[in-house]
Amino acid sequence: MNELADKVGPPLWLLAELTYRCPLQCPYCSNPIDYASQKSELNTEQWLDVLRQGRAMGAAQLGFSGGEPLVRQDLPELIAGARELGYYTNLITSGLGLTADKVDTFAQAGLDHIQVSFQASDPELNNAVAGSRKAFDQKLAMARAVKAAGYPMVLNFVIHRHNIHQMNDILALCENLDADYVELATCQYYGWAFKNREGLMPSKSQLVKAEQEVNQYRADLMDRDQPMKVIFVTPDYYEERPKGCMNGWGSLFLTVAPDGTALPCHSARLLPIDFPNVQRQPLNDIWYHSPGFNHYRGDSWMPEPCRSCDEKGKDFGGCRCQAYLLTGNADNADPVCSKSPHHDRILAARTAADHATAGLEDLTYRNAHNSRLLYRG
């Protein structure tokens, strides 16, 4: 383990999941399904200590996320502390709980970047998915407040079978809001999204049409010299090779959960691995020497077909969380890979998506009641 740690560089991107509390109920939330049983949160000084340790190790990018990070009353203090340490900071928010005054407060504290998420291009669908009747109007107002404060306008939409038909309307809304960057993040199936996969996964024909519409809109933006940048993220389930998840396990990204659990990615908590906690172990020791962070570093852990694959240095065997969810063993090759002996499970999911009929009312929404019900089950 020490020999492996000697080859590891520092974490460059630190994700501070400040809380699992959130006013929304999105059925594709990446938070753990059992989040309602995890009520412990680091206090202000503990978070500032984590930030100091991360910066001393070389971390430069810092994301504040949740849940909804705006429910933390100490967010301005955390932003100011991060600015003093020299981080480039990004607030990832639904916009609920945000006000124009808070936007100004965050700017004065030194926040560099705000990303606002939407659920759809129209109020009815947006609010139904979010589980809040006021969500859409609030998001519109806060997106405009962020832009007015001089921040780059960065909007995020999670795309699934119930809104994938809205590509042109979504992009028109983003253009109307004078967005600089738009991420159309087609749903990836972890956390609550995995629970709801059959009701969220678009069909192949839906995906093809959506990509065509996005490409046409991009071309139109270029013709009009409109600088809005559009990123369309294809779902793993429609790929034949896995992504190089997090640029490799414990390579660049370090997540700290609300209770201080340190993770190589925000979904890794679902794995049957004993991950360390910043309340009991220094961050430097966690990153370089803990069994959890060294578990899937390098390639010595890989079984076939990954072990002898000439692409293992590119995809690192794919996503460990996806392998675990789909096969029950995180050591296996990511089933997204066509070389995986479990690839048939991806093909079956595609076939099911082509014939799915589930409506929004059939989804299991992310809330404390459902979390407790599912966790007990």
Side-chain angles (χ1 to χ4, degrees):
M1 185 181 300
N2 289 334
E3 181 180 342
L4 184 59
D6 289 341
K7 301 177 183 178
V8 176
L12 300 181
W13 217 104
L14 175 61
L15 181 66
E17 289 189 308
L18 300 179
T19 181
Y20 287 143
R21 291 175 286 158
C22 184
L24 301 187
Q25 303 184 54
C26 304
Y28 45 73
C29 180
S30 63
N31 286 167
I33 288 181
D34 67 344
Y35 80 89
S37 67
Q38 301 176 27
K39 297 180 179 179
S40 175
E41 293 180 6
L42 299 181
N43 62 34
T44 307
E45 185 49 48
Q46 287 172 319
W47 271 119
L48 289 172
D49 186 50
V50 168
L51 302 188
R52 283 191 289 269
Q53 291 184 60
R55 190 74 184 100
M57 293 169 64
Q61 300 270 350
L62 173 64
F64 292 114
S65 76
E68 174 49 69
L70 291 171
V71 305
R72 291 281 302 220
Q73 298 305 303
D74 58 356
L75 186 54
E77 186 175 350
L78 296 177
I79 292 169
R83 165 49 65 94
E84 185 177 348
L85 289 165
Y87 281 102
Y88 182 91
T89 51
N90 180 24
L91 174 64
I92 304 164
T93 176
S94 68
L96 270 71
L98 194 60
T99 65
D101 286 343
K102 285 184 180 179
V103 173
D104 290 339
T105 297
F106 297 156
Q108 291 170 16
L111 185 66
D112 295 296
H113 185 280
I114 301 177
Q115 175 185 297
V116 179
S117 66
F118 279 77
Q119 280 70 35
S121 61
D122 67 283
E124 183 177 2
L125 180 57
N126 187 99
N127 295 347
V129 173
S132 169
R133 289 176 294 177
K134 300 178 180 179
F136 188 76
D137 288 344
Q138 170 70 7
K139 289 171 181 288
L140 283 182
M142 289 306 100
R144 293 185 175 113
V146 168
K147 186 72 175 184
Y151 285 105
M153 171 64 69
V154 183
L155 302 180
N156 172 272
F157 290 76
V158 175
I159 304 301
H160 47 81
R161 70 179 300 109
H162 302 290
N163 67 0
I164 198 168
H165 63 285
Q166 294 187 335
M167 291 297 95
N168 286 316
D169 290 337
I170 286 173
L171 290 169
L173 171 64
C174 294
E175 196 173 354
N176 180 261
L177 289 171
D178 199 17
D180 297 287
Y181 299 94
V182 179
E183 182 180 16
L184 305 172
T186 312
C187 198
Q188 307 289 0
Y189 300 101
Y190 308 96
W192 292 82
F194 186 77
K195 172 67 179 174
N196 287 304
R197 189 184 69 191
E198 291 186 12
L200 291 173
M201 187 168 164
S203 67
K204 178 67 171 181
S205 61
Q206 284 181 307
L207 184 65
V208 168
K209 182 179 180 184
E211 287 186 298
Q212 290 173 342
E213 290 174 345
V214 170
N215 287 334
Q216 181 57 52
Y217 207 103
R218 281 198 191 109
D220 181 56
L221 289 170
M222 188 175 296
D223 289 343
R224 293 187 283 114
D225 290 325
Q226 223 291 358
M228 185 173 80
K229 300 292 186 292
V230 180
I231 301 170
F232 186 88
V233 182
T234 303
D236 290 359
Y237 279 55
Y238 284 106
E239 300 285 4
E240 294 301 315
R241 289 288 181 272
K243 62 180 179 240
C245 191
M246 310 305 290
N247 203 51
W249 181 278
S251 173
L252 296 176
F253 296 88
L254 171 60
T255 295
V256 179
D259 66 351
T261 300
L263 303 162
C265 80
H266 64 275
S267 296
R269 195 164 200 156
L270 64 87
L271 299 175
I273 295 174
D274 185 21
F275 288 106
N277 193 292
V278 298
Q279 297 186 67
R280 295 184 288 275
Q281 194 171 351
L283 205 58
N284 187 84
D285 192 41
I286 286 173
W287 178 257
Y288 289 105
H289 303 296
S290 69
F293 273 78
N294 280 292
H295 204 99
Y296 290 115
R297 278 179 172 149
D299 57 19
S300 62
W301 61 269
M302 292 182 179
E304 294 294 348
C306 297
R307 182 180 291 272
S308 58
C309 180
D310 59 5
E311 296 185 49
K312 66 181 179 181
K314 183 193 306 182
D315 60 39
F316 315 105
C319 176
R320 298 302 89 220
C321 299
Q322 203 150 252
Y324 180 73
L325 286 168
L326 290 170
T327 75
N329 186 348
D331 293 357
N332 288 330
D334 188 336
V336 164
C337 183
S338 61
K339 298 179 182 180
S340 165
H342 302 100
H343 187 61
D344 62 305
R345 301 181 191 190
I346 292 292
L347 300 180
R350 294 178 193 173
T351 299
D354 284 335
H355 300 91
T357 58
L360 288 175
E361 68 279 1
D362 299 308
L363 301 176
T364 301
Y365 287 81
R366 182 247 198 230
N367 55 51
H369 171 77
N370 285 335
S371 175
R372 287 189 288 267
L373 187 67
L374 291 167
Y375 183 58
R376 289 169 185 164

